[in-house]
């Protein structure tokens, strides 16, 4: 388990890169850390990928993880960046959970998001592992 949120994010990005490279999908990493996406992959054209991780099981709901979809940042109060999941621009959401499960969810399949995305059975068809999902 990651010791802090930056390390947790690094674990997720590493898992995403490993998945794409294992499947011989070219991966590009943005030079800056303020875009709405973490990676660009060549899936029949360049696609933006937002990577999220969760170590947080949703209280009272067995096996469901709550994935934080907020972006906050900046180095001064006047420069704070605040976005929620629906404000971010990306083509795919790669989710890495602390139990080792991963998902590659097309943005079009994600309904309105506020601050959290709950990973439930409805996203099982986008779960990835040793087999490719939906042609990926």
């Amino acid at each position: 388990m990651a010791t802090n949120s930056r390390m947790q994010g690094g674990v997720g990005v590493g898992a995403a890169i490993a998945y794409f490279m294992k499947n011989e999908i070219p991966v590009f990493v943005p030079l800056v850390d303020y875009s709405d996406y973490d990676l660009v992959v060549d899936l029949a054209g360049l696609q933006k990928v937002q990577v999220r991780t969760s170590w947080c099981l949703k209280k009272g709901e067995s096996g469901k993880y709550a994935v934080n979809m907020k972006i906050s940042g900046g180095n001064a109060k006047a420069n704070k960046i605040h976005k929620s999941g629906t404000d971010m621009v990306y083509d795919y959401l790669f989710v890495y959970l602390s139990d080792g499960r991963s998902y590659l969810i097309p943005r079009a399949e994600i309904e309105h998001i506020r601050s959290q995305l709950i990973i439930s059975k409805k996203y099982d068809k986008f779960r990835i592992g040793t087999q490719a999902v939906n042609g990926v």
Side-chain angles (χ1 to χ4, degrees), residues 96-116:
Y96 182 78
L97 304 178
S98 63
D99 65 5
R101 288 183 289 158
S102 296
Y103 298 80
L104 186 61
I105 307 169
R107 176 63 179 96
E109 296 289 332
I110 301 172
E111 296 172 10
H112 183 74
I113 305 167
R114 291 191 186 257
S115 62
Q116 291 183 335

Side-chain angles (χ1 to χ4, degrees), residues 30-134:
L31 293 175
V32 295
D33 193 26
Y34 53 79
S35 59
D36 288 353
Y37 50 90
D38 298 298
L39 304 171
V40 175
V41 297
D42 192 352
L43 289 170
L46 298 179
Q47 305 290 316
K48 295 173 266 190
V49 178
Q50 171 62 237
V51 178
R52 289 291 178 194
T53 60
S54 181
W55 272 223
C56 180
L57 281 167
K58 184 156 174 63
K59 290 182 181 178
E61 298 191 40
S62 178
K64 292 184 181 178
Y65 279 79
V67 178
N68 181 11
M69 293 300 293
K70 282 184 172 179
I71 294 178
S72 298
N75 57 3
K77 287 184 180 183
N79 294 328
K80 286 283 186 190
I81 300 166
H82 296 285
K83 289 188 175 185
S84 67
T86 51
D87 299 330
M88 293 185 278
V89 178
Y90 56 89
D91 301 302
Y92 286 91
L93 177 65
F94 183 96
V95 177
Y96 182 78
L97 304 178
S98 63
D99 65 5
R101 288 183 289 158
S102 296
Y103 298 80
L104 186 61
I105 307 169
R107 176 63 179 96
E109 296 289 332
I110 301 172
E111 296 172 10
H112 183 74
I113 305 167
R114 291 191 186 257
S115 62
Q116 291 183 335
L117 176 67
I118 304 303
I119 301 298
S120 62
K121 290 184 187 239
K122 80 178 189 177
Y123 293 113
D124 281 352
K125 65 184 172 182
F126 302 111
R127 185 172 170 188
I128 56 177
T130 56
Q131 298 294 323
V133 173
N134 295 335

